[in-house]
Amino acid sequence: MVVVVDTVSATPLRPRHPEKVNRPDALSPPKPDWIRVRAPNTRGYADTRNIVKENGLVTVCEEAGCPNIGECWDKKHATFMIMGDTCTRACAFCNVKTGMPGALDADEPEHIAEATFKLGLAHIVITSVDRDDLADGGAGHFARTIRAIRARCPDTTIEILTPDFLRKEGALETVVAAKPDVFNHNLETVPSHYLTVRPGARYFHSIRLLQRVKEIDPAIFTKSGIMVGLGEERHEVLQVMDDLRSAEVDFLTIGQYLQPTRKHHAVMRYVPPDEFAGLEKVAYTKGFLMVSASPLTRSSHHAGDDFARLRAARAALTR
Ligand code: SF4
């Protein structure tokens, strides 16, 4: 496992990803026409931004440099990132700052609940940085956040996108006991790319994590996602689908990897939209209740609408 220790965070010139500074630049091909996003300059975007700032919250939309921020924030859809803005892992694809994070903010669950209320969200997505430095990996904080939102906004459905809680015994059980509506944990890439793309994680641990959620509480929807364009082969993507179905995962997302900086993993290929449509079709034949596959698909993109469809798909099965 890679744990990044930050001993110089007080220095203003500290780089965002110190472990990547000495890497050679990785060059990606120019973006194709189909990767187009709306500029973030609407009234709705500004309102969302104000609520995020007023409550002192961190969003993955900003930290990960998500291309959908203009569209999502205009609709008041923001994905909150709890437990700080600094991650203890150092994945090759991710733009979240790396280093040693500070102490947890005990008031954060209430602030998240308040922001959920002010944004009037019917469905909220909460994610976090990896907190390998905490004994429970942050599981207790996730559970407190879910409970705070339930108390403040009882009609809001809650989706969490968690780290893998690797080597944190009992952590998963703590989070599942808080009963999120959707438990999402992303595989990110195919197993052959873990060492270069997601070196701190273990593929089969992540699969097992998702499987355990279903074993403990089958009512919780499970969800996972991968990025394509990192050099994976088609047959590897199909294998990932089979592995996720073996773990009874309900919802699969597949999106195009975009390179945050030249120090991150290069884009090996821009997968055309019709290839995404083909992958979506194959995934449905493998038994997923919901599949979202397109160049700009992200875990939390349209998460509220997708949750409604997910629920309807399950209901249709039991009729
Ligand atoms: S897709 Fe998710 S991370 Fe990206 S802007 Fe929308 S809510 Fe935020």
Side-chain angles (χ1 to χ4, degrees), residues 14-17 63 85-87 89 95-99 129:
R14 181 188 182 278
R16 194 170 164 86
H17 304 108
E63 298 301 319
D85 63 357
T86 307
C87 185
R89 301 267 177 103
N95 197 40
V96 173
K97 189 161 75 177
T98 53
V129 286

Side-chain angles (χ1 to χ4, degrees), residues 232-249:
E232 68 291 325
E233 299 285 339
R234 179 181 161 85
H235 70 86
E236 295 180 293
V237 174
L238 302 189
Q239 182 65 54
V240 166
M241 291 180 189
D242 288 335
D243 293 342
L244 287 171
R245 284 306 301 138
S246 300
E248 295 185 62
V249 169

Side-chain angles (χ1 to χ4, degrees), residues 59-62 64-73 77-80 125 296-303:
T59 68
V60 74
C61 318
E62 294 166 291
C66 182
N68 300 323
I69 193 165
E71 178 200 335
C72 290
W73 284 30
H77 296 168
T79 293
F80 298 120
V125 186
L296 291 176
T297 289
R298 298 294 181 266
S299 297
S300 46
H301 197 207
H302 303 149

Side-chain angles (χ1 to χ4, degrees), residues 41-121:
N41 57 5
T42 61
R43 176 70 192 268
Y45 172 88
D47 290 348
T48 303
R49 195 165 186 282
N50 288 342
I51 292 171
V52 167
K53 299 300 162 210
E54 276 163 15
N55 286 278
L57 301 175
V58 178
T59 68
V60 74
C61 318
E62 294 166 291
E63 298 301 319
C66 182
N68 300 323
I69 193 165
E71 178 200 335
C72 290
W73 284 30
D74 182 43
K75 294 189 237 156
K76 300 222 167 96
H77 296 168
T79 293
F80 298 120
M81 194 166 80
I82 58 175
M83 298 190 267
D85 63 357
T86 307
C87 185
T88 51
R89 301 267 177 103
C91 296
F93 64 88
C94 185
N95 197 40
V96 173
K97 189 161 75 177
T98 53
M100 185 54 87
L104 291 180
D105 172 4
D107 296 330
E108 186 176 51
E110 274 66 39
H111 289 157
I112 295 276
E114 193 54 32
T116 306
F117 180 79
K118 283 186 182 154
L119 288 166
L121 295 177

